[in-house]
Amino acid sequence: MKLSPLLKYSLVFLTPILIGLAVLNHTNFLNYEKPLTFDQYDQITFENFRGLEFFKKSLYGSKRFAYVVTSIESEFDDNSVTIWSLFHPSRSFVYKTNTNSKELLTHEKYHIKITELFARKAKEDISQLSSFKREEAERIIKNAKQEERAFQKEYDYNTFHSYVLSEQKRYEKEIDSLLNLLTEFKKTKITLND
C-alpha cells in the first residue's frame, strides 16, 4: 500500500509536533522548576504548580482543581541507602493560576505529606534489617511506593478531592500524627553496618 505524498509529508511534519506536545504535557520545560524536597514543604504555593495541561478544563464540573505529582526516590551506596520524597512543580498543575483556595492548596500539599510518610516508612523498615541487603531494601522501597500510590487514591476518593471537609480533616490529623511518629526517619540516609 502506497501513501500519497501529501499524507506522507503530513505524517513527517505532524509526528514531531505530537511528540513535542506529549513531552510538554508531561513536564513543562518552558517554565521548569526542579523537584522540591520535603524540607521545602512550607514554601510551596500554587505558584509552584507549573505543569501544562492541554485537555482538562474541569474536574467533576468544577473549574477549581489542581493535581500534584510526587515521587519517592532512592540512591544506594555500599552499606547505606538515601531515600527522599519529591514534589515535581513542573509536572503539577492548577487549572486557575489565580485561585486562592486555601482548602485546595492544603489538599494538594497533603499529597506531598503522604509521599513523605511512605518514604519514612521505607526508611523505618530498612533500618530494622539485621544486615544491609540491597535487594531487600529495593523490595521495601518498591512496596512503599505501591502502598503510597494506593493511599493517594484512597485519600482522593474519600475526600472527593477536598470537597468532603470532614474526611479531609480526618486525613490531615491521621497523616500528621503518623509523620510525627516517624520523626526519627526524617533524615534521608539510612546506614547499616554488617
Side-chain angles (χ1 to χ4, degrees):
M1 181 168 131
K2 230 177 181 184
L3 294 176
S4 73
L6 179 62
L7 181 60
K8 188 186 326 182
Y9 292 117
S10 296
L11 288 174
V12 169
F13 180 71
L14 287 175
T15 301
I17 291 173
L18 292 173
I19 291 171
L21 286 173
V23 167
L24 278 176
N25 192 36
H26 180 266
T27 303
N28 180 2
F29 290 105
L30 302 175
N31 189 14
Y32 185 77
E33 181 178 353
K34 69 180 185 170
L36 302 175
T37 54
F38 188 73
D39 60 342
Q40 298 166 299
Y41 177 85
D42 292 330
Q43 303 163 17
I44 297 170
T45 68
F46 273 139
E47 290 181 16
N48 299 105
F49 286 61
R50 297 169 182 246
L52 300 175
E53 184 56 67
F54 295 112
F55 306 108
K56 290 184 182 172
K57 301 295 180 209
S58 68
L59 179 68
Y60 301 113
S62 175
K63 293 187 182 213
R64 188 192 69 115
F65 74 96
Y67 66 79
V68 65
V69 176
T70 63
S71 66
I72 297 172
E73 303 297 329
S74 59
E75 190 173 280
F76 288 87
D77 285 324
D78 292 334
N79 67 337
S80 68
V81 61
T82 304
I83 304 170
W84 62 97
S85 62
L86 293 175
F87 158 61
H88 298 271
S90 296
R91 293 174 56 198
S92 300
F93 172 79
V94 60
Y95 180 65
K96 288 194 172 188
T97 53
N98 63 347
T99 190
N100 291 319
S101 172
K102 183 181 173 195
E103 295 82 17
L104 182 59
L105 180 59
T106 297
H107 175 81
E108 296 307 320
K109 286 180 74 174
Y110 266 84
H111 280 290
I112 299 166
K113 282 189 172 189
I114 291 168
T115 304
E116 175 65 13
L117 172 64
F118 283 89
R120 289 184 190 183
K121 283 184 173 196
K123 289 181 265 187
E124 177 188 37
D125 290 347
I126 290 169
S127 74
Q128 294 173 356
L129 294 174
S130 57
S131 64
F132 186 76
K133 295 181 181 111
R134 182 175 174 147
E135 300 79 27
E136 187 66 18
E138 286 174 342
R139 184 192 62 74
I140 288 169
I141 294 167
K142 181 181 176 185
N143 286 345
K145 288 178 180 182
Q146 290 171 342
E147 290 172 10
E148 180 253 348
R149 286 295 132 203
F151 194 89
Q152 297 279 17
K153 289 177 185 176
E154 174 190 305
Y155 169 64
D156 268 339
Y157 180 81
N158 289 338
T159 64
F160 198 66
H161 301 274
S162 82
Y163 290 105
V164 181
L165 189 59
S166 62
E167 282 295 295
Q168 178 67 38
K169 293 301 178 190
R170 183 182 69 80
Y171 272 96
E172 289 174 19
K173 190 175 181 180
E174 178 183 346
I175 293 162
D176 287 341
S177 177
L178 291 169
L179 278 171
N180 283 334
L181 288 173
L182 295 170
T183 300
E184 70 178 282
F185 299 101
K186 198 173 186 177
K187 291 184 179 177
T188 58
K189 192 170 191 173
I190 298 292
T191 303
L192 294 171
N193 297 319
D194 286 341

